[in-house]
Amino acid sequence: MTIWRDFPGASTAARTSPSAVTVGNFDGVHRGHQHVIERTRDLSRGLPVIAVTFEPHPLAVVAPERAPKRLATTERRVELLLAAGADEIRILDFTREMAAWSPQEFVDRVLRDELRASLVAVGDNFRFGNRATGDTAFLREAGQQAGFTVDALDLDGGAEPYSSTLVRAHVAAGRMREAADVLGRPHEVAGVVRKGDQRGRDLGYPTANVPVDEAYAVPPDGVYAGWLVRADGARLPAAISVGTNPTFDGVERRVESYVLDRTDLDLYGEAIRVEFVDLLRGMVRFDGVDELLVQMADDVERTRAVLDLPSAD
């Protein structure tokens, strides 16, 4: 039985020639991850660079109560890893059986037998195997027997190394610029646009509505400047509201994006990404529609300023 998850953009067949391998959760593919992939390529001596990741996150299997909020969908993670310089993506189908593997079994089955690794590069905090008992020191020793060298890399970032945990902390506090500094791009959420209450259309500010998936890191309720990214890659400037729409006694938490100066878009059923550039304000309950409209006009102008766009006047 294959250990790989069959997923669009990822590979599953056992390799027949040597490779340079990097392994990690790669959640968000932040700048530390990008550094590891770049370093793997630098050391690869022309071998194909294979990025190995896990689905689901190992903690979701071994300790679901401690599973972190996800920073990107699996589809997006594959995209970002390829963009960062990996030649091939492998997704380990992480199960309870795999969680019970010893570090040596992971080395033998994944790195030696399946991938024919000649080089393995990982972050210096890399842990693997049953109860995370394998570390980079063990990996080096095992690599000598299996025929590969090991490079353990500092994830950089200065006083506070780049990490997915750091990104989640910034996102949870609404610090979108700081999150972007770690990621190397704005933090985003993804989803399929569905019909909402259509109040925004009636008010002259039609929005693309995506329900909040609580498995993912979504910024706190409030209004943000950012971008709506369509399936074809088009990036459209947007004022983005996250919350339940308290002025109208809403219940469902949503990400609602108004594309500046556009009332003609039909995005229903389209898979989009929403990029958060900066927090404009917290969520407020207004006493009436007129007060809300004044604030929405101000939100739009502040969005233009944040995104460095010309005034609509």
Side-chain angles (χ1 to χ4, degrees):
M1 180 179 292
T2 181
I3 61 175
W4 307 110
R5 180 164 290 201
D6 189 9
F7 197 88
S11 304
T12 57
R15 288 192 56 81
T16 57
S17 58
S19 65
V21 179
T22 181
V23 188
N25 287 311
F26 296 123
D27 193 13
V29 193
H30 56 66
R31 291 169 68 181
H33 297 145
Q34 295 164 34
H35 171 64
V36 170
I37 293 170
E38 289 168 7
R39 180 65 174 160
T40 306
R41 180 164 295 286
D42 290 343
L43 297 171
S44 68
R45 302 185 303 278
L47 294 175
V49 173
I50 315 299
V52 177
T53 187
F54 305 88
E55 185 60 33
H57 191 289
L59 278 177
V61 174
V62 301
E65 72 283 357
R66 294 194 288 118
K69 300 283 189 181
R70 304 298 294 270
L71 297 176
T73 64
T74 305
E75 293 90 341
R76 184 63 171 148
R77 194 167 14 139
V78 169
E79 254 179 48
L80 291 167
L81 287 168
L82 291 170
D87 295 304
E88 185 179 308
I89 312 302
R90 297 292 183 116
I91 302 177
L92 284 168
D93 191 10
F94 198 84
T95 61
R96 287 198 168 275
E97 178 185 3
M98 186 175 290
W101 287 2
S102 69
Q104 187 64 55
E105 187 170 7
F106 183 91
V107 167
D108 293 344
R109 294 187 64 171
V110 176
L111 302 176
R112 185 192 66 189
D113 297 345
E114 285 283 323
L115 299 180
R116 298 194 60 184
S118 177
L119 161 76
V120 176
V122 293
D124 58 8
N125 62 349
F126 180 65
R127 309 284 299 197
F128 66 105
N130 186 31
R131 299 183 182 275
T133 51
D135 58 12
T136 55
F138 175 88
L139 190 60
R140 281 195 177 93
E141 292 180 8
Q144 290 178 353
Q145 299 298 317
F148 60 79
T149 59
V150 173
D151 198 30
L153 307 173
D154 184 349
L155 293 187
D156 213 342
E160 193 164 16
Y162 297 131
S163 71
S164 300
T165 299
L166 181 58
V167 176
R168 292 186 195 100
H170 286 320
V171 171
R175 298 189 296 263
M176 308 317 300
R177 291 190 181 277
E178 291 85 346
D181 184 61
V182 181
L183 288 167
R185 65 184 185 281
H187 175 64
E188 62 190 41
V189 298
V192 175
V193 178
R194 74 178 197 186
K195 284 192 175 182
D197 303 314
Q198 298 189 297
R199 290 195 186 93
R201 184 170 300 277
D202 294 339
L203 297 173
Y205 295 94
T207 57
N209 303 319
V210 174
V212 168
D213 185 338
E214 297 297 344
Y216 289 84
V218 177
D221 290 3
V223 176
Y224 298 79
W227 303 87
L228 182 150
V229 185
R230 301 193 65 177
D232 62 3
R235 296 174 77 246
L236 306 174
I240 305 157
S241 171
V242 178
T244 59
N245 206 340
T247 299
F248 297 101
D249 298 318
V251 176
E252 182 184 46
R253 194 165 181 246
R254 303 171 183 163
V255 176
E256 302 182 76
S257 304
Y258 164 63
V259 175
L260 271 55
D261 308 319
R262 297 290 297 270
T263 59
D264 59 325
L265 293 172
D266 182 3
L267 300 174
Y268 294 131
E270 184 172 326
I272 65 168
R273 302 199 315 270
V274 178
E275 298 179 349
F276 297 87
V277 173
D278 204 3
L279 173 65
L280 300 179
R281 62 175 175 86
M283 186 57 66
V284 177
R285 180 187 179 97
F286 294 96
D287 292 332
V289 170
D290 290 342
E291 186 180 353
L292 172 61
L293 285 171
V294 170
Q295 182 61 64
M296 290 172 73
D298 182 65
D299 293 338
V300 167
E301 290 311 307
R302 292 181 65 196
T303 296
R304 290 188 206 282
V306 168
L307 302 181
D308 198 23
L309 300 173
S311 172
D313 295 335

